[in-house]
Amino acid sequence: TRRRTHRGLFATDVDDVALVRNLITAADAEGAALVPLTAEPLIRSLAGLVSAAEHLHRHERTRADELARWVRPPGSPSPEGVHAEDFPPEPDHGLFPGRDYGQNRIRGMLDAPEAVTGTVALLTTPGDTRDAWLAAGQALERVLLAAAAEDVAAAFHTQPLEEPLLRAFIAERFCEDAHPQMILRLGRPRPHGARAAAPPRPR
């Protein structure tokens, strides 16, 4: 019940070596690998690929329309979708741009003046079969729950993995030919203070 998807930057990254090791072990238990990136040039290069894919997607009408159908205006009672309270007004924050949920129609309301990118990691599998996809999903679930137990949240960046050529490039340059299944940032969000945390959404 404590797990939430985070959009935006973080107050701090994951500076606990033991916790990072536990998250790596959690992925390994499901047959996947969690690979933290520590070299600044690699982080910036991966961020550039995320940015390129995101801007390509913003010009695809069908993709933009599908995203817009999932966005909810401020105060919407709908339990589903991405609510304005859950994403920042400006998607191009930091190194890793978020999805452009608002598209100049709905202004995001997430009050998140954090300033840290977070710990960047890739979730990979040795194969790319249906069984590997299942293992990746189970590994991601285990990693997220282990992180949430330590008050660490995750932000997701799948944009370049949705482009076959970019995904192949990431596999070759970042994953030693393993198959990238998720790009994520991990960190500790700023406490909400008087503002209530985002309510759970249906799974």
Side-chain angles (χ1 to χ4, degrees), residues 165-187:
L165 293 178
L166 290 181
R167 185 170 185 245
F169 181 83
I170 291 171
E172 178 185 350
R173 297 298 183 92
F174 294 83
C175 305
E176 298 181 351
D177 289 323
H179 297 273
Q181 305 292 356
M182 178 62 73
I183 299 168
L184 61 160
R185 295 182 296 110
L186 297 159

Side-chain angles (χ1 to χ4, degrees), residues 9-129:
L9 301 178
F10 294 101
T12 66
D13 58 12
V14 183
D15 53 4
D16 185 336
V17 175
L19 174 56
V20 172
R21 191 180 301 119
N22 289 342
L23 298 181
I24 292 172
T25 301
D28 183 68
E30 299 289 353
L34 184 71
V35 184
L37 299 184
T38 56
E40 187 67 20
L42 285 180
I43 293 172
R44 289 188 172 275
S45 296
L46 186 60
L49 295 172
V50 170
S51 180
E54 169 61 20
H55 287 289
L56 281 174
H57 294 171
R58 290 182 191 183
H59 294 283
E60 294 181 12
R61 179 65 180 273
T62 55
R63 192 186 298 263
D65 287 347
E66 179 183 5
L67 192 65
R69 287 195 295 271
W70 278 99
V71 177
R72 304 291 180 260
S76 170
S78 172
E80 298 181 334
V82 179
H83 291 61
E85 293 85 355
D86 299 336
F87 64 90
E90 177 52 62
D92 296 320
H93 49 270
L95 282 176
F96 288 80
R99 293 192 187 275
D100 187 13
Y101 290 104
Q103 301 174 326
N104 295 319
R105 304 174 193 175
I106 297 175
R107 182 173 176 79
M109 297 177 65
L110 178 63
D111 178 21
E114 299 92 342
V116 176
T117 298
T119 299
V120 180
L122 283 157
L123 184 74
T124 71
T125 52
D128 201 30
T129 62

